[in-house]
Amino acid sequence: MCGIVAYIGDKPAYPILMKGLQRLEYRGYDSAGIAIMNDKLHLYKKKGKVADLEAFMEGKDYQGNIGIGHTRWATHGEPSDANAHPHFSKTKSLVIIHNGIIENYSALREELKKRGYKFKSETDTEVLIHLIEDIQVKEKVDLFEAVRIALNEVIGAYAIVILSKDNPDQLIAAKKGSPLVIGVGNDEYFLASDASPIVEYTRNVVYLEDGEIAIVSRKEDLKIKTIKNKDKTPYMQELELKLEMLEKGGYDHFMLKEIHEQPRSIRDSMRGRLNAKKGLVTLGGIKDYETKLAKAQRIIIIACGTSWHAGLVGEYLFEEMARVPVEVEYASEFRYRNPVILESDVVIAISQSGETADTLAAMQFAESKGATILAICNVVGSTIPRTSHAGSYTHAGPEIGVASTKSFTAQITILALMALQVAQEKGTLPRSKFQQLLNELESIPEKVETTLKSNDQIKYIAEEYKNATNFLYLGRGYNFPVALEGALKLKEISYIHAEGYPAAEMKHGPIALIDEEMPVVVIATKKGSYEKVVSTIQEVKARKGKVIAIVTKGDKEVKAIADHCIEIPETFEAFAPLVSVIPLQLLSYHIALMRGCNVDQPRNLAKSVTVE
Ligand code: M6R
């Protein structure tokens, strides 16, 4: 949550910070601010989006080649000018930006209050900068040492950057639990929550590790120390990210671009891993754990939100193909309910961002009990893959729309490959069936491409239901998690109440909701429990509900009774989610747009949830 960016070098800092904040806006967008140093230390901040800050900056003094910027997702204190970052210290000599949560901020705040400190905001961040200045003055130490001492007193997560009026040639940055990347240019440095604000200036980056403090000085080499004051050698890596991946590429919204990228992102996630011709699956990232996975008595999948829905599909895939019991857990519940974890368990953590606090904590908890931790993640170099024993990246490319779309299908692709790899190792599938599955998986990108052609029909359906106040989504088997995902997509971007249910459960309660006002989206693809789903549709129609059905091309039975049918190409039941979710993503996109909602930045949300 929250995006931070900073610059020190010879260039004007303002355009770099502003562009950086725009790129990081997906991380939070309730207020934004910057601090820039010339002969004075200037601080500007504003409630609202980065564009509001930009408008506010007109006519202001923002010259200078060192500065910090922040875009916020509120945790402590409502969105307001006062709670926006950066925050000044008491004497206004120091200024800080922070992503994360200082958990013991309340005790620290009370202590500082007793010593006469007055607070201008309700944030935990202001407590931290006062504490740092207090230590600097009391202990007569330099800024690095004051930061180091303060961070030893702090409980919680942080990525911080501090700028001091007394040293305009230096930035001090530190990290624990929240991400921080340092771009190393020619006599200049760029600091940010992810590489997106950095990539157009340099490809050389250093990912700061937990418990490290960076001393970033003008025209000097980068220095890194730990909060225990040990020297560390910066480990430089080369970015693979391309600038065009961060742009809308002619689409009106990132979400629409990302929906349309799915044939490519699924293909990229399979590339080099699936060789249908040779009848082989090889996920290089988990090679050393292949036997462990094949011998696992149980797999536990942990994730949140959309990633959790992908995990449910994973459960079906592993159980069917690799004949291993699977439990799928909400990371936030798992970590607090004293679960039984065995050393023979393999835990698979799924996360697009690689930063989700609940998922990270749950995997660390499972690791402390001796389980093997694998990660499926999209953001290269993020915390979750770096904390796991091994894993596989989904090569979906940057996902900027807050609603997850291409990451869902890429995660399922990796889960399918993993399940097939274990099946291959254990010999749980007949060779001919295994080969058919590989051939079919390889054909999925094409089928997604065909499905995307229904866009205009879906737009037409969206027009008819855009004013509905409730939606029900139903599916069975592999399509049940798709129903959950369709409902989540609709509610998070259009603010329409929607529920996903296993189709057969409808008669146990939700059927009471059905009347002529209730649109019911039913995923009724051939194979699996098709006939039973058709009966559910009959039950909805008997109560005058409106049925929007996702059906297999050529379907006649559902077409005869549903109000609308969106056809998708036929595929194996196990891979149906990769195709059947596409119309649901498009439906939510068009409804949200027609309702005037901000599709890419829905209210109250942020792309990565780095708080509990
Ligand atoms: O980055 P992660 O996959 O760990 O994020 C998990 C959820 O926060 C995320 O899927 C969220 O539910 C999305 N906004 C859904 O579209």
Side-chain angles (χ1 to χ4, degrees):
M1 223 60 65
C2 302
I4 66 177
V5 59
Y7 175 74
I8 178 168
D10 297 330
K11 298 191 178 85
Y14 179 74
I16 296 169
L17 298 180
M18 266 331 217
K19 207 184 252 187
L21 289 181
Q22 279 150 7
R23 295 242 165 91
L24 293 171
E25 203 169 16
Y26 73 90
R27 301 176 65 86
Y29 33 83
D30 63 44
S31 56
I34 56 167
I36 287 195
M37 178 85 193
N38 42 44
D39 46 344
K40 285 192 187 134
L41 179 53
H42 300 274
L43 189 154
Y44 308 103
K45 51 189 190 172
K46 203 79 205 127
K47 178 180 168 184
K49 306 225 173 213
V50 174
D52 298 308
L53 174 69
E54 211 170 2
F56 174 69
M57 291 301 292
E58 221 161 279
K60 304 275 191 306
D61 179 3
Y62 50 69
Q63 303 311 310
N65 42 32
I66 179 168
I68 60 179
H70 188 275
T71 178
R72 179 172 186 252
W73 183 84
T75 56
H76 294 68
E78 58 168 11
S80 67
D81 291 355
N83 288 331
H85 297 216
H87 291 283
F88 267 135
S89 63
K90 186 178 170 186
T91 65
K92 297 198 171 169
S93 295
L94 304 179
V95 69
I96 188 171
I97 46 173
H98 169 216
N99 168 32
I101 286 191
I102 307 301
E103 286 170 15
N104 58 338
Y105 88 104
S106 175
L108 293 169
R109 187 181 167 110
E110 287 316 304
E111 184 56 39
L112 288 162
K113 265 188 181 168
K114 275 189 214 147
R115 299 219 293 277
Y117 281 85
K118 293 209 166 47
F119 289 84
K120 294 197 166 59
S121 77
E122 301 152 275
T123 64
D124 49 341
T125 309
E126 196 187 0
V127 174
L128 182 57
I129 197 64
H130 285 329
L131 178 68
I132 291 168
E133 187 170 72
D134 192 64
I135 293 169
Q136 212 185 0
V137 174
K138 250 185 11 205
E139 310 280 334
K140 298 193 175 32
V141 290
D142 65 11
L143 181 59
F144 161 76
E145 188 58 8
V147 170
R148 195 185 73 75
I149 297 170
L151 293 181
N152 276 290
E153 287 183 31
V154 153
I155 301 168
Y158 51 79
I160 55 169
V161 185
I162 299 168
L163 166 59
S164 165
K165 196 168 80 176
D166 302 325
N167 192 351
D169 293 324
Q170 190 179 78
L171 293 168
I172 301 286
K175 165 193 158 39
K176 186 182 160 213
S178 303
L180 193 59
V181 193
I182 303 175
V184 182
N186 288 331
D187 289 335
E188 58 182 354
Y189 293 98
F190 307 81
L191 295 86
S193 296
D194 70 29
S196 61
I198 298 175
V199 65
E200 66 187 279
Y201 308 105
T202 176
R203 306 203 76 78
N204 299 325
V205 293
V206 174
Y207 289 92
L208 215 58
E209 298 285 344
D210 279 355
E212 289 183 348
I213 306 175
I215 304 152
V216 188
S217 306
R218 201 186 294 279
K219 303 212 184 318
E220 278 185 32
D221 288 346
L222 176 65
K223 284 196 196 71
I224 297 180
K225 287 175 179 263
T226 68
I227 63 166
K228 301 287 171 222
N229 215 4
K230 284 207 175 107
D231 289 326
K232 293 285 288 280
T233 310
Y235 170 57
M236 190 98 81
Q237 300 186 42
E238 202 179 323
L239 282 178
E240 279 176 21
L241 190 69
K242 291 195 184 85
L243 197 56
E244 57 271 22
M245 291 173 165
L246 302 168
E247 279 151 10
K248 286 191 195 138
Y251 288 92
D252 289 342
H253 298 94
F254 281 111
M255 183 182 177
L256 191 61
K257 175 189 175 217
E258 287 156 8
I259 291 173
H260 280 86
E261 274 176 344
Q262 287 175 105
R264 197 253 331 129
S265 55
I266 296 173
R267 213 172 268 129
D268 284 354
S269 296
M270 297 192 295
R271 197 183 309 281
R273 295 163 165 174
L274 169 66
N275 190 334
K277 261 196 201 121
K278 289 194 177 153
L280 272 179
V281 178
T282 323
L283 281 162
I286 58 163
K287 205 155 181 23
D288 295 346
Y289 289 83
E290 214 169 32
T291 317
K292 181 105 201 165
L293 198 50
K295 288 200 170 134
Q297 297 297 303
R298 178 173 69 155
I299 291 174
I300 303 172
I301 296 179
I302 49 178
C304 303
T306 289
S307 300
W308 184 79
H309 297 155
L312 285 179
V313 179
E315 176 182 22
Y316 291 38
L317 289 163
F318 273 108
E319 293 202 339
E320 185 184 346
M321 295 176 185
R323 305 307 296 151
V324 52
V326 180
E327 284 171 28
V328 187
E329 301 269 1
Y330 283 116
S332 53
E333 287 298 312
F334 180 75
R335 58 184 290 206
Y336 286 119
R337 68 165 174 76
N338 199 12
V340 177
I341 303 167
L342 309 171
E343 286 189 10
S344 57
D345 286 338
V346 173
V347 170
I348 303 178
I350 308 178
S351 174
Q352 186 285 132
S353 62
E355 280 185 47
T356 303
D358 285 320
T359 308
L360 182 62
M363 62 190 268
Q364 285 168 336
F365 173 72
E367 196 198 354
S368 73
K369 303 283 175 201
T372 299
I373 317 293
L374 304 180
I376 296 178
C377 192
N378 193 39
V379 177
V380 177
S382 57
T383 313
I384 287 176
R386 286 192 297 141
T387 313
S388 60
H389 292 116
S392 295
Y393 282 112
T394 54
H395 294 152
E399 189 179 70
I400 291 163
V402 166
S404 300
T405 51
K406 62 176 177 173
S407 64
F408 177 70
T409 47
Q411 287 163 348
I412 294 174
T413 305
I414 300 295
L415 285 161
L417 292 172
M418 269 191 190
L420 284 162
Q421 184 161 327
V422 179
Q424 170 182 268
E425 176 86 6
K426 285 171 79 173
T428 41
L429 287 172
R431 189 66 225 175
S432 59
K433 177 74 187 167
F434 181 77
Q435 185 61 51
Q436 281 168 11
L437 284 161
L438 299 197
N439 295 345
E440 184 58 24
L441 189 53
E442 206 174 52
S443 76
I444 291 293
E446 231 171 88
K447 295 186 177 179
V448 171
E449 218 154 276
T450 309
T451 307
L452 286 166
K453 293 191 182 129
S454 308
N455 187 45
D456 287 347
Q457 184 203 358
I458 295 167
K459 206 164 158 182
Y460 172 82
I461 298 171
E463 186 67 48
E464 194 163 333
Y465 296 99
K466 63 174 192 250
N467 295 321
T469 45
N470 293 291
F471 264 77
L472 195 58
Y473 284 73
L474 303 173
R476 273 190 95 144
Y478 282 93
N479 280 324
F480 159 53
V482 177
L484 295 178
E485 177 59 9
L488 176 63
K489 284 292 83 88
L490 187 71
K491 63 188 145 199
E492 73 179 324
I493 61 167
S494 73
Y495 321 137
I496 295 175
H497 169 245
E499 285 192 56
Y501 258 90
E505 277 293 302
M506 184 188 72
K507 57 185 177 292
H508 297 290
I511 197 164
L513 293 168
I514 293 175
D515 60 16
E516 58 278 8
E517 302 294 317
M518 176 65 111
V520 184
V521 179
V522 189
I523 307 134
T525 49
K526 282 265 165 67
K527 311 238 166 76
S529 313
Y530 174 75
E531 295 303 338
K532 295 192 194 309
V533 176
V534 174
S535 305
T536 304
I537 295 175
Q538 295 282 15
E539 287 158 18
V540 174
K541 286 313 301 170
R543 286 154 188 88
K544 299 197 166 45
K546 299 279 184 287
V547 172
I548 304 160
I550 314 302
V551 297
T552 306
K553 191 167 173 49
D555 180 287
K556 291 202 174 65
E557 232 174 311
V558 176
K559 262 193 199 147
I561 47 176
D563 298 86
H564 309 272
C565 279
I566 303 162
E567 287 191 336
I568 63 173
E570 183 163 3
T571 181
F572 290 1
E573 199 193 349
F575 304 139
L578 291 166
V579 190
S580 61
V581 75
I582 309 292
L584 307 192
Q585 294 170 343
L586 286 168
L587 184 67
S588 60
Y589 169 80
H590 288 300
I591 291 181
L593 203 61
M594 287 167 189
R595 289 167 70 95
C597 300
N598 187 333
V599 171
D600 283 336
Q601 295 176 344
R603 69 183 180 204
N604 304 338
L605 282 165
K607 184 73 182 159
S608 58
V609 184
T610 54
V611 294
E612 277 195 44

